[in-house]
């Protein structure tokens, strides 16, 4: 039985065209190749298949019985391939379908969410998933399409990394701390991250303060830190966009820490329309909110 392991699937449209026209010259004109190439490719296909597909008579090339079976299946196969390519092209060119973005939750809650309605109004076939996740998800396994991270990640061949801009952090607290001069900050109670987050830029800044303040409360989430600030437990270094929207008292006249915001995506995302659209949207939304995110403007 012929297996056709050496058969070149690119010869299918050539065989189909010759079956329709019955003429080497007509097939050559249709496909833009010369008749000798057609003849050579037909011979190679018959050798690979170990089948005689055509016989030649005075009227041109006719299909053998085996050739008729091949063409019947070949039409279906070629049509399916064309449908597959067209569907894939439409998928790649359509701003529709699922897009999974992972990030630290406060970037969703205090920044991106208010811009999502405008994006979906413009592209109603998008299906966004916003996944609050501090751990790195796999782009290779497509657990995420985009990730927003504070700080540049390690190199990864599967990733395209782009710095969107900066995120500003300033000192916030209850109104009772409003008039605390900078020179006295080290004598005040502070809310800090627990030891698992001691390596963050915020905690390194706090560790460098002199005198070293008393950390009266340690937490592992920003939402808890905000609530503790509101309750008057102590002062804290918070993202400016978060402190402003929560109505906390900003203490001091400057941004204390700036951290990078990086946009990560799979290296193949640039060829698919919905991913290109979301990538451009993220960059545009950052640009339009840059002063808020950097802490140089108040939230309206």
């Amino acid at each position: 039985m012929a297996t056709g392991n050496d058969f070149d699937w690119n010869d299918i449209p050539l065989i189909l065209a010759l079956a329709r026209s019955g003429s080497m010259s007509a097939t050559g004109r249709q496909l833009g190749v010369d008749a000798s190439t057609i003849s050579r490719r037909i011979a190679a296909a018959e050798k690979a298949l170990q089948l005689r597909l055509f016989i030649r008579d005075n009227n041109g090339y006719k299909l053998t019985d085996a050739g008729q079976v091949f063409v019947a299946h070949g039409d279906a196969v070629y049509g399916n391939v064309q449908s597959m390519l067209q569907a894939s092209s439409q998928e790649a060119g359509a701003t529709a379908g699922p897009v999974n973005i992972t990030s630290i939750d406060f970037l969703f809650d205090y920044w991106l969410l208010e811009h999502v309605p405008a994006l979906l109004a413009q592209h109603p076939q998008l299906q966004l998933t916003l996944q609050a996740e501090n751990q790195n998800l796999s782009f290779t396994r497509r657990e995420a399409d985009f990730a927003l991270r504070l700080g540049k990640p390690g190199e990864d061949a599967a990733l395209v990394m782009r710095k969107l801009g900066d995120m500003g952090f300033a000192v916030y607290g209850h109104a009772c701390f409003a008039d605390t001069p900078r020179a006295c900050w080290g004598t005040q109670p502070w809310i800090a991250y627990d030891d698992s987050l001691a390596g963050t830029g915020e905690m390194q800044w706090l560790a460098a303060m002199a005198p070293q303040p008393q950390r009266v409360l340690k937490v592992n989430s920003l939402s808890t830190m905000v609530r503790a600030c509101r309750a008057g437990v102590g002062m804290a270094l918070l993202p400016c966009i978060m402190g402003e929207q929560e109505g906390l008292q900003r203490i001091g006249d400057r941004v204390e820490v700036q951290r990078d915001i990086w946009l990560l995506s799979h290296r193949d995302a640039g060829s698919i329309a919905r991913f290109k659209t979301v990538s451009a949207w993220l960059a545009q939304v950052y640009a339009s909110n840059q002063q808020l995110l950097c802490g140089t403007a108040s939230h309206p």
Side-chain angles (χ1 to χ4, degrees), residues 3-140:
T3 61
N5 289 336
D6 296 327
F7 178 71
D8 187 344
W9 286 62
N10 291 314
D11 288 337
I12 291 179
L14 183 151
I15 295 169
L16 297 179
L18 181 58
R20 286 191 298 269
S21 71
S23 166
M24 287 283 184
S25 57
T27 300
R29 288 193 299 271
Q30 177 186 342
L31 300 180
V33 294
D34 58 71
S36 61
T37 299
I38 301 291
S39 178
R40 185 170 63 254
R41 295 309 309 158
I42 294 294
E46 291 180 330
K47 180 179 180 181
L49 294 170
Q50 299 178 31
L51 295 171
R52 185 74 180 272
L53 299 176
F54 294 93
I55 57 173
R56 186 177 182 181
D57 61 20
N58 293 334
N59 295 318
Y61 287 83
K62 304 293 185 183
L63 287 169
T64 64
D65 290 343
Q68 289 177 3
V69 173
F70 180 94
V71 167
H73 288 280
D75 268 326
V77 169
Y78 189 62
N80 287 338
V81 169
Q82 292 299 101
S83 296
M84 177 190 70
L85 294 175
Q86 182 178 10
S88 299
S89 176
Q90 289 172 346
E91 164 65 15
T95 305
V99 179
N100 186 351
I101 306 173
T102 179
S103 177
I104 302 171
D105 55 3
F106 85 87
L107 287 178
F108 291 148
D109 296 346
Y110 292 89
W111 172 37
L112 278 184
L113 276 176
E114 65 181 275
H115 301 284
V116 167
L119 173 68
L120 296 181
Q122 186 175 2
H123 303 287
Q125 299 305 311
L126 280 177
Q127 302 162 18
L128 287 183
T129 296
L130 302 183
Q131 188 170 357
E133 177 61 67
N134 290 328
Q135 302 301 315
N136 291 329
L137 300 182
S138 172
F139 283 82
T140 302

Side-chain angles (χ1 to χ4, degrees), residues 177 186-193 206 212-219 228-229 232-236:
F177 295 102
T187 65
Q188 301 300 309
W190 280 78
I191 308 158
Y193 288 137
L206 186 60
Q212 185 58 210
Q214 181 184 4
R215 305 185 187 196
V216 297
L217 179 65
K218 292 183 179 180
V219 301
C229 276
V233 173
M235 297 162 58

